[in-house]
Amino acid sequence: MFSVTVRDHIMVAHSFRGDVFGPAQKLHGATFVVDATFKRPQLDDDNIVVDIGLASQELHAICGGLSYQNLDDDPDFTGINTSTEFLAKVIADRLADKAATGGLGAGAGGLTGIAVTLHESHIAWASYERDL
Amino acid sequence: MFSVTVRDHIMVAHSFRGDVFGPAQKLHGATFVVDATFKRPQLDDDNIVVDIGLASQELHAICGGLSYQNLDDDPDFTGINTSTEFLAKVIADRLADKAATGGLGAGAGGLTGIAVTLHESHIAWASYERDL
Amino acid sequence: MFSVTVRDHIMVAHSFRGDVFGPAQKLHGATFVVDATFKRPQLDDDNIVVDIGLASQELHAICGGLSYQNLDDDPDFTGINTSTEFLAKVIADRLADKAATGGLGAGAGGLTGIAVTLHESHIAWASYERDL
Amino acid sequence: MFSVTVRDHIMVAHSFRGDVFGPAQKLHGATFVVDATFKRPQLDDDNIVVDIGLASQELHAICGGLSYQNLDDDPDFTGINTSTEFLAKVIADRLADKAATGGLGAGAGGLTGIAVTLHESHIAWASYERDL
Amino acid sequence: MFSVTVRDHIMVAHSFRGDVFGPAQKLHGATFVVDATFKRPQLDDDNIVVDIGLASQELHAICGGLSYQNLDDDPDFTGINTSTEFLAKVIADRLADKAATGGLGAGAGGLTGIAVTLHESHIAWASYERDL
Amino acid sequence: MFSVTVRDHIMVAHSFRGDVFGPAQKLHGATFVVDATFKRPQLDDDNIVVDIGLASQELHAICGGLSYQNLDDDPDFTGINTSTEFLAKVIADRLADKAATGGLGAGAGGLTGIAVTLHESHIAWASYERDL
């Protein structure tokens, strides 16, 4: 299995609901360093997993749609705890949509999986991995 | 599959028995930066993998039980080479016990796997991964 | 010159005022990984720069006073752009106060400087350095 | 499953053929920080995955055979795009050959998989994973 | 003293002349992860060291002018060993020119120093630091 | 001012004397990731700070003389607390001796300073800096 990963980041405010979140129930914020991994069992005709330029560009666009806002105000997340692991799934699913609709190039048809890791600090991170 | 990882560390002395270990047969030491990963296919009702506060606290307690000692003198490891890979298993198994006995909270019942990575330097690390 | 550095972090929401900040004028957030460095020309009688336990504890307390909140609502920062570089100074000054009032231990009297670096992402960080 | 990883690096020139590569079609270069991971379900009699000294030595030899050259001139890669993901496979396959021919020691017979990750920058890396 | 640092990177081919360079006398290549630090004793009216958007943009432009080429063919470097430390100076001087000609914004007039670090691998980096 | 840094590491056991060290008074151990920085105001005739091959080699030899032992048994450190900051000075002074006696090559005569940083974990490190 081959994979290629590109890194970007978002800077957001949000708050959580539920005792389990302790002080994070208050409005606070986070930088999430975002690693998006694209997987496939065989390389394409150019000997690559994915057009890394397109992959970076689409990840950047998705990050741009999330960054510099209060996620509590994002209609996509009304009533939802935007935990690190949940946001990893949001980004992975949006990348999967891009792959399915040609945004990652013609060669991306061979992709079989996507994984996204969000680093919330030097001591905590979360991931979501799915098939394509 | 979702995962959440938290990081801690231990600082220990130890020695190894066996020619394969070369100079590391002498009493020496290591800092192991410890990454503990918790996995599950679906998020819980709070939209998380695990209570990260509890997970960090239990990992810290396990690290505290290992750190600042000579592992050669730990009765749990008598006659055992406390290699990085072996110690990764020790910590993963102790975390699995915590999960099984409720130490990671009620929601942790949905966890299906644990992986632990120990970084022994900037150029070497080892992991152990198991089901729950 | 000797130095010792300890690392902690804060997770905050905030917004900026001024065209120069572009999209960061909106309420957003950041994880700041905080590195606090203590300096002195000679080691103390224990052969150290500072009691690293106390230094970590006081840095953690200062970070705790800043983290998990919207800095726009903190009375200490009313009308102030809480830029990364400014927050580095806030933390450095609070550590300097601790050193001056004995919070870092008796040996801390020999400290001559403090530097604080705040990492806001994998591609940007800011520092403030001052004498004691 | 257990694993051990060792890190080394190569510094090479190369160029790519194909529009997808954009400016990278010109002769340029890269440092690839190389992480080689060895896997097995059970530890050997010494309580380890692999002789880390041998593993580091063989990885260094393989890196030495690739580094400080223009890969476009390497007869092994004539007419081939030496993408990061492709080079990960090259190194993984060469390590697999070493394992098969005894270069990683007698205990390496128990290895069941190898993964190689090449970091080409702080924002991009690629991997190849295979069975043994 | 305050500072702000932004990170970018270049990927280049080059070769060196001189026995001291050993195998690096052959055409090879490197990724240089570039950290550009801007310094000043007091913050500007916006409470910042420099417009981080402009600083990132100008660093990216300078990196773009160097990347994806064979530095041996760059007329600026004819007959010059483009060592990591030398390239750090090239980038620092180009940033200093930008600051002097307004490319970093009006507030950049208060900058007093620039430092540039180029990371050539996980085990080697070089810096150049200058006044403005 | 120019600088070049190379990285290596040591793995040692040791213990401390003094209440300030808390649990670290017991025999324990550490990996110290060692960064050695060489400084000079002007580059040499080869356009470099120091022969990086020799610098790496000498740092490795110095690390080899410290690693894989219990520092409590090293006659050089009898009755001395081998704190991270103290060990940074030990390595810096040994590198300075090498520079003075030609071990870093003829060009090293132009070096004006050495700094050594020892990383003891992901959350703590110490440095010593001196003139040559």
Side-chain angles (χ1 to χ4, degrees):
Chain A
M1 182 64 69
F2 291 91
S3 72
V4 162
T5 303
V6 290
R7 173 169 283 189
D8 209 308
H9 74 290
I10 60 173
M11 302 181 82
V12 296
H14 62 166
S15 63
F16 297 126
R17 296 173 306 164
D19 291 347
V20 70
F21 295 102
Q25 293 175 84
K26 292 191 292 181
L27 182 66
H28 64 289
T31 306
F32 294 111
V33 175
V34 181
D35 296 338
T37 299
F38 304 88
K39 304 181 183 184
R40 62 192 297 165
Q42 302 296 335
L43 298 181
D44 74 7
D45 291 346
D46 290 309
N47 225 25
I48 57 176
V49 165
V50 68
D51 179 335
I52 197 172
L54 282 180
S56 301
Q57 183 180 304
E58 293 300 338
L59 176 62
H60 194 64
I62 290 167
C63 286
L66 292 168
S67 200
Y68 292 120
Q69 60 167 310
N70 180 354
L71 295 181
D72 296 351
D73 297 334
D74 188 320
D76 286 346
F77 308 134
T78 303
I80 293 175
N81 278 325
T82 52
S83 65
T84 311
E85 42 272 56
F86 171 77
L87 290 172
K89 181 174 190 301
V90 168
I91 294 174
D93 288 348
R94 292 183 182 182
L95 283 168
D97 286 348
K98 288 289 178 185
T101 56
L104 299 181
L111 292 174
T112 57
I114 284 183
V116 170
T117 298
L118 265 64
H119 304 261
E120 69 177 62
S121 74
H122 63 301
I123 53 169
W125 52 96
S127 297
Y128 175 72
E129 186 169 358
R130 55 164 281 176
D131 292 335
L132 285 184
Chain B
M1 182 64 71
F2 292 91
S3 71
V4 162
T5 304
V6 290
R7 173 170 282 191
D8 209 306
H9 74 288
I10 60 174
M11 302 182 82
V12 295
H14 61 167
S15 63
F16 296 126
R17 295 172 308 164
D19 291 346
V20 71
F21 295 103
Q25 293 175 85
K26 292 191 292 181
L27 182 66
H28 63 289
T31 305
F32 294 111
V33 175
V34 181
D35 295 338
T37 299
F38 304 88
K39 303 182 182 183
R40 62 193 296 165
Q42 302 296 334
L43 298 181
D44 73 7
D45 292 346
D46 290 308
N47 225 24
I48 57 175
V49 166
V50 68
D51 180 335
I52 197 173
L54 281 181
S56 301
Q57 183 180 304
E58 292 301 338
L59 176 62
H60 194 64
I62 290 168
C63 286
L66 291 168
S67 200
Y68 293 119
Q69 61 167 311
N70 180 355
L71 295 181
D72 296 351
D73 297 334
D74 187 320
D76 286 346
F77 307 134
T78 304
I80 293 176
N81 279 324
T82 53
S83 66
T84 311
E85 43 272 56
F86 171 77
L87 290 172
K89 183 175 189 303
V90 168
I91 294 174
D93 288 348
R94 292 183 182 182
L95 284 168
D97 287 348
K98 287 288 178 185
T101 56
L104 299 182
L111 293 175
T112 57
I114 284 183
V116 170
T117 299
L118 265 64
H119 305 260
E120 69 177 63
S121 74
H122 64 301
I123 53 169
W125 52 97
S127 297
Y128 175 72
E129 187 170 355
R130 57 164 280 174
D131 293 334
L132 283 184
Chain C
M1 181 66 69
F2 291 91
S3 73
V4 162
T5 303
V6 291
R7 173 169 282 190
D8 209 307
H9 75 288
I10 60 174
M11 304 183 81
V12 295
H14 62 165
S15 63
F16 297 126
R17 295 173 307 164
D19 291 346
V20 70
F21 295 103
Q25 293 175 84
K26 293 191 291 181
L27 183 65
H28 63 289
T31 305
F32 294 112
V33 175
V34 181
D35 296 337
T37 300
F38 304 89
K39 303 181 183 183
R40 62 193 297 166
Q42 303 295 335
L43 298 180
D44 72 6
D45 291 347
D46 289 309
N47 225 25
I48 57 175
V49 165
V50 67
D51 179 334
I52 198 172
L54 281 180
S56 300
Q57 182 179 306
E58 292 301 337
L59 177 62
H60 194 63
I62 290 169
C63 286
L66 291 168
S67 200
Y68 292 120
Q69 61 167 310
N70 180 355
L71 295 181
D72 296 351
D73 296 333
D74 188 321
D76 287 346
F77 307 134
T78 303
I80 293 175
N81 278 325
T82 52
S83 65
T84 312
E85 43 271 56
F86 171 77
L87 290 172
K89 182 174 189 302
V90 168
I91 294 174
D93 289 347
R94 291 183 183 183
L95 284 169
D97 286 348
K98 287 289 179 185
T101 55
L104 299 181
L111 293 175
T112 58
I114 284 182
V116 170
T117 297
L118 265 65
H119 304 260
E120 71 176 61
S121 75
H122 64 302
I123 54 169
W125 52 96
S127 297
Y128 175 71
E129 186 169 357
R130 55 164 280 177
D131 293 334
L132 285 183
Chain D
M1 181 64 70
F2 292 91
S3 72
V4 162
T5 303
V6 291
R7 174 169 281 190
D8 209 306
H9 74 289
I10 60 174
M11 302 181 83
V12 296
H14 61 166
S15 62
F16 297 126
R17 295 173 308 165
D19 291 346
V20 71
F21 295 103
Q25 293 174 85
K26 293 191 291 181
L27 182 66
H28 63 289
T31 305
F32 294 112
V33 175
V34 182
D35 295 337
T37 299
F38 304 88
K39 303 181 183 183
R40 63 193 297 166
Q42 303 296 335
L43 298 181
D44 72 7
D45 292 345
D46 290 307
N47 225 25
I48 57 174
V49 165
V50 67
D51 179 336
I52 198 173
L54 281 180
S56 301
Q57 183 181 304
E58 292 301 338
L59 176 61
H60 194 64
I62 290 168
C63 287
L66 291 168
S67 199
Y68 292 120
Q69 61 168 308
N70 180 355
L71 295 180
D72 296 351
D73 297 334
D74 187 321
D76 286 346
F77 307 134
T78 303
I80 293 175
N81 279 325
T82 52
S83 65
T84 312
E85 43 271 56
F86 171 77
L87 290 172
K89 183 175 190 302
V90 168
I91 294 175
D93 288 348
R94 291 183 182 182
L95 284 168
D97 287 348
K98 287 289 178 184
T101 56
L104 298 182
L111 292 174
T112 57
I114 283 183
V116 170
T117 298
L118 266 63
H119 304 260
E120 70 177 61
S121 74
H122 63 302
I123 53 169
W125 52 97
S127 297
Y128 175 71
E129 186 169 357
R130 56 164 280 177
D131 292 334
L132 284 184
Chain E
M1 181 65 70
F2 292 91
S3 72
V4 162
T5 303
V6 290
R7 173 169 282 189
D8 209 306
H9 75 288
I10 60 174
M11 302 182 82
V12 295
H14 62 167
S15 64
F16 296 127
R17 295 171 309 163
D19 292 346
V20 71
F21 294 103
Q25 293 175 85
K26 294 191 291 182
L27 183 65
H28 63 289
T31 305
F32 294 111
V33 175
V34 181
D35 296 337
T37 300
F38 304 88
K39 303 181 183 182
R40 61 192 299 166
Q42 302 296 335
L43 298 180
D44 74 6
D45 291 346
D46 289 308
N47 225 25
I48 57 175
V49 165
V50 68
D51 180 335
I52 198 172
L54 282 181
S56 300
Q57 184 180 305
E58 293 300 338
L59 177 62
H60 194 63
I62 290 168
C63 287
L66 291 168
S67 200
Y68 292 121
Q69 61 168 310
N70 180 354
L71 295 181
D72 296 351
D73 297 334
D74 188 320
D76 287 346
F77 307 133
T78 304
I80 293 176
N81 279 325
T82 52
S83 65
T84 312
E85 43 271 56
F86 172 77
L87 290 172
K89 183 175 188 302
V90 168
I91 294 174
D93 288 348
R94 291 182 182 183
L95 283 169
D97 286 348
K98 287 289 180 187
T101 56
L104 299 181
L111 293 175
T112 56
I114 284 182
V116 171
T117 298
L118 266 63
H119 305 260
E120 69 176 63
S121 75
H122 63 303
I123 53 168
W125 51 98
S127 298
Y128 175 71
E129 186 170 356
R130 57 163 280 175
D131 293 334
L132 285 184
Chain F
M1 180 67 68
F2 292 92
S3 73
V4 163
T5 303
V6 290
R7 174 170 281 190
D8 209 306
H9 74 288
I10 60 174
M11 303 182 82
V12 296
H14 62 166
S15 63
F16 296 127
R17 295 173 307 165
D19 291 345
V20 72
F21 295 103
Q25 294 174 84
K26 293 191 292 181
L27 182 65
H28 63 289
T31 305
F32 294 111
V33 175
V34 182
D35 295 338
T37 299
F38 304 88
K39 303 181 182 183
R40 62 192 298 165
Q42 303 297 335
L43 298 180
D44 73 6
D45 292 346
D46 290 308
N47 225 25
I48 56 174
V49 165
V50 68
D51 179 336
I52 198 172
L54 281 180
S56 301
Q57 183 180 306
E58 293 300 338
L59 177 62
H60 194 65
I62 290 168
C63 286
L66 291 168
S67 201
Y68 292 120
Q69 61 168 310
N70 180 355
L71 295 182
D72 296 351
D73 296 334
D74 188 319
D76 285 347
F77 307 134
T78 304
I80 292 176
N81 278 325
T82 53
S83 65
T84 312
E85 43 271 56
F86 171 76
L87 290 172
K89 183 175 190 300
V90 167
I91 294 174
D93 288 346
R94 292 182 182 182
L95 283 169
D97 286 348
K98 287 289 179 185
T101 56
L104 299 181
L111 293 174
T112 58
I114 284 182
V116 170
T117 298
L118 266 64
H119 304 260
E120 70 176 61
S121 74
H122 63 302
I123 53 167
W125 52 97
S127 297
Y128 175 71
E129 186 169 356
R130 56 164 281 175
D131 293 333
L132 285 184

